[in-house]
Amino acid sequence: MRPRFALSLSGTALMLLSSLFLAAPPAAAAGGNYVALGDSYSSGEGTGDYIGSAGSCNRSLHAYPALWASAHSPSSFAFVACSGATTADVIDKQLSAVNSGTTLVSISVGGNDAGFASAMQTCVLSGTDACLTAVNNAKSFATSKLPALLDQVYAGIRNRAPSARVVVLGYPHLYKIGGSCTFGISDTSRNAINGAADTIDSVISGRAGAAGFAFGDVRQVFTNHEICSSDWWLNSTRIVVHESYHPNATGHANGYLPTFSARA
């Protein structure tokens, strides 16, 4: 007959092992099925080497979803994030890639709904006063209308993939205030733009949490790597206009990728 303490230890060991396996997130399992949804901050706009024609969604092999898939070799990888995508675009054009077999989803969306791109254009072309008005309009939309739009997207993901691990990525501050830039828009405008990112991230984080999704806040990892810092991970105004104000390849590799990987 086995000693009673040995039986107890064996049972304890089994319970510990069982809890470890149960605690492992779905995405950690080998052979998972990964779907990358979202806008230009997920497609890799700004990194170059785009897949397909210039008029496409500007998906790049340097984007964090492609980098993660290359490192982890999931059984399937659907890269459907698209530059310019709004919440409606995700629902109408991207959600079909998600199904009951999906184990991991990443998404960044909301900035285009709030008109962040047009606000940036106003800030660059029309001066500080116009910039502040445009930024305040974007913030107002983010707090009043964006929550319901995000809820629709997140509910759509959960309905199609009930067991998937979902990671929602936010947006970084674009500018280092008091940094090295001696030209371009004013620090007042730059500070307002960073404040808009804070507002949008707060809304996204809150709605992601309400949906039971993980939120990846990239603001801290991008600190001291903003435009006007000594080591930019973001593009400023570029001749290829659509790449302006997006993370570059280093921003995806050193900013978005580790933020996503820590939560996937």
Side-chain angles (χ1 to χ4, degrees):
M1 182 175 178
R2 297 175 63 186
R4 184 171 299 175
F5 75 89
L7 289 172
S8 177
L9 286 174
S10 297
T12 300
L14 286 171
M15 289 177 65
L16 287 172
L17 286 171
S18 176
S19 66
L20 286 172
F21 283 116
L22 290 173
N33 300 304
Y34 172 32
V35 179
L37 307 171
D39 57 20
S40 55
Y41 276 70
S42 289
S43 73
E45 180 83 82
T47 66
D49 294 333
Y50 303 116
I51 305 166
S53 64
S56 69
C57 288
N58 290 333
R59 300 182 188 109
S60 172
L61 296 177
H62 301 298
Y64 76 86
L67 295 175
W68 191 93
S70 177
H72 294 82
S73 300
S75 294
S76 67
F77 172 43
F79 190 9
V80 295
C82 190
S83 180
T86 62
T87 53
D89 292 323
V90 171
I91 291 171
D92 295 340
K93 303 174 183 178
Q94 298 182 20
L95 271 185
S96 58
V98 179
N99 57 52
S100 60
T102 301
T103 56
L104 176 64
V105 176
S106 64
I107 183 171
S108 63
V109 74
N112 291 319
D113 293 83
F116 198 66
S118 62
M120 286 301 305
Q121 183 177 16
T122 298
C123 291
V124 171
L125 298 178
S126 302
T128 299
D129 289 344
C131 176
L132 296 181
T133 298
V135 167
N136 285 334
N137 288 339
K139 291 169 66 176
S140 177
F141 184 98
T143 55
S144 63
K145 297 182 180 179
L146 186 58
L149 297 176
L150 293 174
D151 286 348
Q152 292 177 34
V153 173
Y154 300 158
I157 295 171
R158 181 53 72 218
N159 288 339
R160 295 184 67 88
S163 301
R165 173 76 169 173
V166 182
V167 182
V168 180
L169 282 302
Y171 301 97
H173 287 164
L174 292 183
Y175 292 100
K176 181 171 181 62
I177 307 303
S180 60
C181 297
T182 57
F183 57 89
I185 66 177
S186 67
D187 271 357
T188 299
S189 293
R190 291 168 182 156
N191 193 58
I193 291 165
N194 286 352
D198 289 334
T199 297
I200 293 173
D201 280 344
S202 177
V203 171
I204 292 172
S205 173
R207 301 325 303 157
F213 297 165
F215 176 69
D217 191 341
V218 297
R219 286 171 292 181
Q220 183 173 357
V221 72
F222 271 84
T223 298
N224 295 322
H225 299 290
E226 310 95 333
I227 298 167
C228 301
S229 70
S230 60
D231 181 22
W232 299 15
W233 289 2
L234 294 142
N235 299 318
S236 185
T237 306
R238 294 172 64 90
I239 294 175
V240 183
V241 177
H242 60 78
E243 293 187 334
S244 302
Y245 311 111
H246 287 85
N248 57 30
T250 303
H252 275 268
N254 293 352
Y256 270 86
L257 178 62
T259 301
F260 173 57
S261 297
R263 293 158 179 81

